Amino acid sequence: MTSAIDKNSLLEAEAWELLEESVIYYQGKPIGTVAAHDPQSDALNYDQCFLRDFVPSALVFLMHGKAEIVRNFLVETLKLQSHEKQIDCFEPGAGLMPASFKVHSNGNEEFLVADFGELAIARVPPIDSCMWWILLLRAYEKATGDLTLARQPDFQAGIKLILDLCLVHRFSMYPTMLVPDGAFMIDRRMGVYEHPLEIQVLFYASLRAASELLIPDEDGGDTYLGKVNRRLGSLKYHIRNYYWLDLKRLGEIYRYKDNEFGKEIVNKFNINSESIPTWLTEWLPETGGYLAGNLGPGRIDFRFFALGNLMAILASLASEKESQSIMNLFAQRWQDLIGYMPVKICFPAMDGLEWRIVTGCDSKNRAWSYHNGGNWPVLLWLFTAAALKAGRTELAQAAVAIAERRLFKDKFPEYYDGNNGRLIGKEARIYQTWSIAGLLAAKKLLENPEYLELISFAEGLEVPGCSL
Ligand code: GLC
C-alpha cells in the first residue's frame, strides 16, 4: 500500500515531469516554457513562451536551484526588447517587452520571433511583460545571489528603457498608468482600460524592484532612482486612498455629493453613489475589504480582481491592516472567490446587456467563464504567497488542498467555469504550463515560506522621504 507521503511525492514528480516537458530550447539551451501542451487542441499561439506565463515556472525553477533557464530567459528576452519607435503605427513603442516568443529555424540556424501584440487576438499590447521581467530579474538575484547580471550595462539600459516607457507623462492627471483594454493577463476587452488595478499594482511592484536593481551612476542613474522613488510615493498614496473599499468607505461614497469643483473637495473623481452596484452592499463583509478594480473620471469599477489584490499584499502596496481585510474577504466569501478551484479571476461576472456592451459580445468571455469570472489555477501561487505574507497559512493550505484534489485528475486545465469554478473551462486547454507551475510553486512556498522573499517587498522600505 502506498502511503499518503509517497502518493504526494509521486504526484509532485508527475507535475515536475510535465513542467520539464514544456521547456523550450534555443541553440541547445533552455530558455522558457510553452504556454500549453494540449495534444487535443489547435496550438494557435499556445506553443509560444509567454513572458507572464513563464513567471510561475521561473519561480519553481529558482526554488529548485535551476537558475540557468531563468538567466537564459532574462538574457534572450532583453535582446527582444523593442528599441526604436518606427513610423508605422503598429510598431511597438521603445522599451516594450513582447507578449510571447517562439524559436524558428532556417536550416541549421535558429532565431527567436517575438510577438508584441501585433499578431495576438485583437492586437493587444502586453504592458505587463516588462513589469514581470523586472520582477523576475529581482527574483533571480534573490535566489542566486548573483548581482552581476542586473549590473551589466545592457541590463541597466533595459531597465531604464522600461522606465522611460512607463514613467513618461502623457495625458494622465493621476500617478497611475493609463492603458488600453486587455493590456495584461486579461488580454481581451473586459472594461479594464484606463487605470486597472492589475497594471497599477504590477507597476508599483516593478518600480520597487527597479529601485533595488538600478545602480546610481553619473550618467543619469540617480535621476532614474529619484523619478522612481517619487512615483512610488504618489502611486502608493493614490491607490491606498482612492482604490480602497470597505464598509466604512462604501458608506462615504454612498453619501457623496456630486459635481464638486476645486481643491478641497471630498468627491475628487465625481463618483455618483448610484453607480454602487446592488450586489456590493450585501456582499462586503464587516471585517473585509479590497482594492477596487479601476478608478477614473466618474467611475469606480467595483469588481474584485484577484491578481491586483494579491500582488498588492506581496508588494506591500496594501497596508498590513488592508492585507488582513483582503484575506478576511477571501475567508468569508470563500465559495465565491475560491469555490471548487482557486482562484476566481474577478468577481462578479458581467452578464446580459452589460456583457454585450463591455465585452463587445465576446463569446469566450460569457458570464462566469474565462476572464469574465472564471477560476484560474495559476493564481494559486499568488494566493498562497499572499496568504503566507499575511500570516494566514491555514487559508493557503486549504486552497492548495482543493487544487490538488482536482488538477491531476483534470490534467491541469487553463481555467474553470461557473459561479464556483466547478466545471472545466468551456474552451480551456489541458496541460497548461502555468497551471502546473502554479501548483508546484504554491506547494514549495508552503513547504518553505522563506521563498516568499523572491516575490515580496517589505512595508516602508522605499527610499526615506518618499514613503507615506
Ligand atoms: C490567454 C490568456 C493570457 C495568457 C495566454 C497564454 O491569452 O488570457 O493571459 O498569457 O493565454 O496562456
mmCIF file of all heavy atoms in Angstrom, residues 422-448:
data_model
loop_
_atom_site.group_PDB
_atom_site.id
_atom_site.type_symbol
_atom_site.label_atom_id
_atom_site.label_comp_id
_atom_site.label_asym_id
_atom_site.label_seq_id
_atom_site.Cartn_x
_atom_site.Cartn_y
_atom_site.Cartn_z
ATOM 1 N N ARG A 422 -16.777 25.074 -10.802
ATOM 2 C CA ARG A 422 -16.976 23.629 -10.710
ATOM 3 C C ARG A 422 -16.660 22.881 -12.009
ATOM 4 O O ARG A 422 -16.262 21.720 -11.991
ATOM 5 C CB ARG A 422 -18.426 23.363 -10.312
ATOM 6 C CG ARG A 422 -18.549 22.124 -9.530
ATOM 7 C CD ARG A 422 -19.811 22.101 -8.748
ATOM 8 N NE ARG A 422 -19.781 21.006 -7.810
ATOM 9 C CZ ARG A 422 -20.802 20.636 -7.089
ATOM 10 N NH1 ARG A 422 -21.937 21.305 -7.176
ATOM 11 N NH2 ARG A 422 -20.707 19.614 -6.274
ATOM 12 N N LEU A 423 -16.841 23.559 -13.140
ATOM 13 C CA LEU A 423 -16.660 22.885 -14.439
ATOM 14 C C LEU A 423 -15.315 23.252 -15.059
ATOM 15 O O LEU A 423 -14.877 24.403 -14.954
ATOM 16 C CB LEU A 423 -17.749 23.337 -15.416
ATOM 17 C CG LEU A 423 -19.189 23.126 -14.962
ATOM 18 C CD1 LEU A 423 -20.140 23.830 -15.922
ATOM 19 C CD2 LEU A 423 -19.495 21.636 -14.912
ATOM 20 N N ILE A 424 -14.732 22.301 -15.773
ATOM 21 C CA ILE A 424 -13.519 22.641 -16.538
ATOM 22 C C ILE A 424 -13.941 23.655 -17.602
ATOM 23 O O ILE A 424 -14.998 23.522 -18.215
ATOM 24 C CB ILE A 424 -12.926 21.379 -17.203
ATOM 25 C CG1 ILE A 424 -12.433 20.426 -16.122
ATOM 26 C CG2 ILE A 424 -11.792 21.745 -18.156
ATOM 27 C CD1 ILE A 424 -11.870 19.122 -16.638
ATOM 28 N N GLY A 425 -13.130 24.671 -17.790
ATOM 29 C CA GLY A 425 -13.485 25.766 -18.706
ATOM 30 C C GLY A 425 -13.927 25.279 -20.083
ATOM 31 O O GLY A 425 -13.336 24.344 -20.629
ATOM 32 N N LYS A 426 -14.926 25.957 -20.614
ATOM 33 C CA LYS A 426 -15.533 25.552 -21.895
ATOM 34 C C LYS A 426 -14.492 25.368 -23.001
ATOM 35 O O LYS A 426 -14.518 24.419 -23.743
ATOM 36 C CB LYS A 426 -16.544 26.625 -22.300
ATOM 37 C CG LYS A 426 -17.594 26.176 -23.279
ATOM 38 C CD LYS A 426 -18.637 27.297 -23.404
ATOM 39 C CE LYS A 426 -19.655 27.043 -24.481
ATOM 40 N NZ LYS A 426 -20.316 25.750 -24.413
ATOM 41 N N GLU A 427 -13.570 26.314 -23.103
ATOM 42 C CA GLU A 427 -12.554 26.198 -24.158
ATOM 43 C C GLU A 427 -11.150 26.073 -23.561
ATOM 44 O O GLU A 427 -10.156 26.437 -24.196
ATOM 45 C CB GLU A 427 -12.608 27.423 -25.080
ATOM 46 C CG GLU A 427 -13.897 27.492 -25.885
ATOM 47 C CD GLU A 427 -13.954 28.723 -26.774
ATOM 48 O OE1 GLU A 427 -12.939 29.048 -27.418
ATOM 49 O OE2 GLU A 427 -15.012 29.373 -26.807
ATOM 50 N N ALA A 428 -11.097 25.590 -22.315
ATOM 51 C CA ALA A 428 -9.785 25.529 -21.644
ATOM 52 C C ALA A 428 -8.913 24.454 -22.267
ATOM 53 O O ALA A 428 -9.387 23.382 -22.620
ATOM 54 C CB ALA A 428 -9.976 25.230 -20.160
ATOM 55 N N ARG A 429 -7.636 24.780 -22.394
ATOM 56 C CA ARG A 429 -6.666 23.780 -22.805
ATOM 57 C C ARG A 429 -6.308 22.916 -21.608
ATOM 58 O O ARG A 429 -6.456 23.364 -20.464
ATOM 59 C CB ARG A 429 -5.384 24.482 -23.265
ATOM 60 C CG ARG A 429 -5.355 24.714 -24.726
ATOM 61 C CD ARG A 429 -4.720 26.056 -25.021
ATOM 62 N NE ARG A 429 -5.577 26.727 -25.965
ATOM 63 C CZ ARG A 429 -5.601 26.429 -27.257
ATOM 64 N NH1 ARG A 429 -4.781 25.550 -27.755
ATOM 65 N NH2 ARG A 429 -6.432 27.038 -28.067
ATOM 66 N N ILE A 430 -5.824 21.708 -21.871
ATOM 67 C CA ILE A 430 -5.271 20.921 -20.764
ATOM 68 C C ILE A 430 -3.745 21.028 -20.829
ATOM 69 O O ILE A 430 -3.200 21.552 -21.800
ATOM 70 C CB ILE A 430 -5.748 19.448 -20.785
ATOM 71 C CG1 ILE A 430 -5.493 18.833 -22.151
ATOM 72 C CG2 ILE A 430 -7.193 19.341 -20.362
ATOM 73 C CD1 ILE A 430 -5.700 17.334 -22.198
ATOM 74 N N TYR A 431 -3.095 20.543 -19.794
ATOM 75 C CA TYR A 431 -1.643 20.661 -19.660
ATOM 76 C C TYR A 431 -1.188 22.095 -19.932
ATOM 77 O O TYR A 431 -0.285 22.355 -20.733
ATOM 78 C CB TYR A 431 -0.916 19.661 -20.568
ATOM 79 C CG TYR A 431 -1.261 18.236 -20.212
ATOM 80 C CD1 TYR A 431 -1.829 17.366 -21.132
ATOM 81 C CD2 TYR A 431 -1.044 17.768 -18.915
ATOM 82 C CE1 TYR A 431 -2.179 16.062 -20.783
ATOM 83 C CE2 TYR A 431 -1.403 16.465 -18.558
ATOM 84 C CZ TYR A 431 -1.958 15.635 -19.491
ATOM 85 O OH TYR A 431 -2.310 14.363 -19.137
ATOM 86 N N GLN A 432 -1.866 23.017 -19.275
ATOM 87 C CA GLN A 432 -1.496 24.428 -19.356
ATOM 88 C C GLN A 432 -0.323 24.627 -18.384
ATOM 89 O O GLN A 432 -0.440 24.346 -17.187
ATOM 90 C CB GLN A 432 -2.692 25.293 -18.956
ATOM 91 C CG GLN A 432 -2.449 26.776 -18.985
ATOM 92 C CD GLN A 432 -2.604 27.385 -20.372
ATOM 93 O OE1 GLN A 432 -3.230 26.778 -21.246
ATOM 94 N NE2 GLN A 432 -2.026 28.546 -20.584
ATOM 95 N N THR A 433 0.791 25.114 -18.900
ATOM 96 C CA THR A 433 2.010 25.127 -18.082
ATOM 97 C C THR A 433 1.862 25.945 -16.799
ATOM 98 O O THR A 433 2.304 25.525 -15.733
ATOM 99 C CB THR A 433 3.205 25.628 -18.911
ATOM 100 O OG1 THR A 433 3.281 24.819 -20.082
ATOM 101 C CG2 THR A 433 4.500 25.523 -18.145
ATOM 102 N N TRP A 434 1.235 27.127 -16.878
ATOM 103 C CA TRP A 434 1.204 27.916 -15.639
ATOM 104 C C TRP A 434 0.248 27.343 -14.605
ATOM 105 O O TRP A 434 0.334 27.691 -13.422
ATOM 106 C CB TRP A 434 1.067 29.406 -15.883
ATOM 107 C CG TRP A 434 -0.192 29.964 -16.484
ATOM 108 C CD1 TRP A 434 -1.326 29.305 -16.846
ATOM 109 C CD2 TRP A 434 -0.439 31.363 -16.755
ATOM 110 N NE1 TRP A 434 -2.252 30.183 -17.339
ATOM 111 C CE2 TRP A 434 -1.739 31.453 -17.290
ATOM 112 C CE3 TRP A 434 0.298 32.531 -16.589
ATOM 113 C CZ2 TRP A 434 -2.296 32.682 -17.679
ATOM 114 C CZ3 TRP A 434 -0.262 33.733 -16.978
ATOM 115 C CH2 TRP A 434 -1.538 33.809 -17.509
ATOM 116 N N SER A 435 -0.665 26.446 -15.017
ATOM 117 C CA SER A 435 -1.484 25.749 -14.009
ATOM 118 C C SER A 435 -0.617 24.733 -13.265
ATOM 119 O O SER A 435 -0.749 24.547 -12.054
ATOM 120 C CB SER A 435 -2.660 25.014 -14.665
ATOM 121 O OG SER A 435 -3.497 25.916 -15.344
ATOM 122 N N ILE A 436 0.279 24.072 -14.023
ATOM 123 C CA ILE A 436 1.190 23.090 -13.414
ATOM 124 C C ILE A 436 2.167 23.813 -12.478
ATOM 125 O O ILE A 436 2.322 23.465 -11.306
ATOM 126 C CB ILE A 436 1.985 22.340 -14.518
ATOM 127 C CG1 ILE A 436 1.031 21.638 -15.493
ATOM 128 C CG2 ILE A 436 2.983 21.377 -13.903
ATOM 129 C CD1 ILE A 436 1.679 21.174 -16.800
ATOM 130 N N ALA A 437 2.803 24.855 -13.019
ATOM 131 C CA ALA A 437 3.815 25.579 -12.246
ATOM 132 C C ALA A 437 3.189 26.298 -11.050
ATOM 133 O O ALA A 437 3.811 26.407 -9.990
ATOM 134 C CB ALA A 437 4.531 26.587 -13.142
ATOM 135 N N GLY A 438 1.956 26.781 -11.222
ATOM 136 C CA GLY A 438 1.263 27.478 -10.127
ATOM 137 C C GLY A 438 1.117 26.570 -8.921
ATOM 138 O O GLY A 438 1.346 26.985 -7.779
ATOM 139 N N LEU A 439 0.761 25.317 -9.178
ATOM 140 C CA LEU A 439 0.603 24.364 -8.075
ATOM 141 C C LEU A 439 1.961 24.034 -7.448
ATOM 142 O O LEU A 439 2.110 24.035 -6.228
ATOM 143 C CB LEU A 439 -0.082 23.081 -8.571
ATOM 144 C CG LEU A 439 -0.218 21.987 -7.514
ATOM 145 C CD1 LEU A 439 -1.196 22.412 -6.413
ATOM 146 C CD2 LEU A 439 -0.685 20.667 -8.118
ATOM 147 N N LEU A 440 2.944 23.778 -8.301
ATOM 148 C CA LEU A 440 4.269 23.429 -7.776
ATOM 149 C C LEU A 440 4.859 24.580 -6.944
ATOM 150 O O LEU A 440 5.422 24.351 -5.877
ATOM 151 C CB LEU A 440 5.219 23.078 -8.925
ATOM 152 C CG LEU A 440 5.038 21.687 -9.541
ATOM 153 C CD1 LEU A 440 5.870 21.557 -10.817
ATOM 154 C CD2 LEU A 440 5.419 20.585 -8.553
ATOM 155 N N ALA A 441 4.684 25.800 -7.442
ATOM 156 C CA ALA A 441 5.219 26.957 -6.705
ATOM 157 C C ALA A 441 4.495 27.109 -5.369
ATOM 158 O O ALA A 441 5.120 27.376 -4.331
ATOM 159 C CB ALA A 441 5.080 28.228 -7.537
ATOM 160 N N ALA A 442 3.170 26.916 -5.387
ATOM 161 C CA ALA A 442 2.386 27.061 -4.146
ATOM 162 C C ALA A 442 2.838 26.034 -3.110
ATOM 163 O O ALA A 442 3.014 26.350 -1.933
ATOM 164 C CB ALA A 442 0.902 26.910 -4.448
ATOM 165 N N LYS A 443 3.057 24.802 -3.562
ATOM 166 C CA LYS A 443 3.455 23.744 -2.625
ATOM 167 C C LYS A 443 4.847 24.027 -2.040
ATOM 168 O O LYS A 443 5.091 23.822 -0.862
ATOM 169 C CB LYS A 443 3.428 22.381 -3.326
ATOM 170 C CG LYS A 443 1.988 21.865 -3.494
ATOM 171 C CD LYS A 443 1.946 20.557 -4.219
ATOM 172 C CE LYS A 443 2.519 19.415 -3.418
ATOM 173 N NZ LYS A 443 1.581 18.864 -2.443
ATOM 174 N N LYS A 444 5.707 24.505 -2.893
ATOM 175 C CA LYS A 444 7.072 24.803 -2.441
ATOM 176 C C LYS A 444 7.054 25.970 -1.435
ATOM 177 O O LYS A 444 7.794 25.965 -0.454
ATOM 178 C CB LYS A 444 7.907 25.162 -3.680
ATOM 179 C CG LYS A 444 9.360 24.914 -3.550
ATOM 180 C CD LYS A 444 9.745 23.452 -3.638
ATOM 181 C CE LYS A 444 11.173 23.261 -3.191
ATOM 182 N NZ LYS A 444 11.455 21.912 -2.701
ATOM 183 N N LEU A 445 6.203 26.951 -1.698
ATOM 184 C CA LEU A 445 6.095 28.085 -0.773
ATOM 185 C C LEU A 445 5.579 27.626 0.591
ATOM 186 O O LEU A 445 6.051 28.083 1.632
ATOM 187 C CB LEU A 445 5.136 29.141 -1.350
ATOM 188 C CG LEU A 445 5.719 30.108 -2.370
ATOM 189 C CD1 LEU A 445 4.608 30.779 -3.164
ATOM 190 C CD2 LEU A 445 6.572 31.174 -1.680
ATOM 191 N N LEU A 446 4.608 26.713 0.558
ATOM 192 C CA LEU A 446 4.078 26.202 1.829
ATOM 193 C C LEU A 446 5.154 25.437 2.601
ATOM 194 O O LEU A 446 5.271 25.572 3.816
ATOM 195 C CB LEU A 446 2.907 25.253 1.566
ATOM 196 C CG LEU A 446 1.502 25.841 1.518
ATOM 197 C CD1 LEU A 446 0.478 24.723 1.348
ATOM 198 C CD2 LEU A 446 1.177 26.639 2.781
ATOM 199 N N GLU A 447 5.907 24.644 1.847
ATOM 200 C CA GLU A 447 6.979 23.861 2.460
ATOM 201 C C GLU A 447 8.050 24.759 3.057
ATOM 202 O O GLU A 447 8.595 24.493 4.107
ATOM 203 C CB GLU A 447 7.679 23.071 1.344
ATOM 204 C CG GLU A 447 7.553 21.578 1.390
ATOM 205 C CD GLU A 447 8.170 21.036 0.105
ATOM 206 O OE1 GLU A 447 9.379 21.245 -0.134
ATOM 207 O OE2 GLU A 447 7.426 20.419 -0.679
ATOM 208 N N ASN A 448 8.360 25.826 2.324
ATOM 209 C CA ASN A 448 9.451 26.692 2.734
ATOM 210 C C ASN A 448 9.095 28.171 2.501
ATOM 211 O O ASN A 448 9.459 28.763 1.484
ATOM 212 C CB ASN A 448 10.707 26.317 1.922
ATOM 213 C CG ASN A 448 11.927 26.993 2.482
ATOM 214 O OD1 ASN A 448 11.813 27.894 3.320
ATOM 215 N ND2 ASN A 448 13.089 26.585 2.026
#
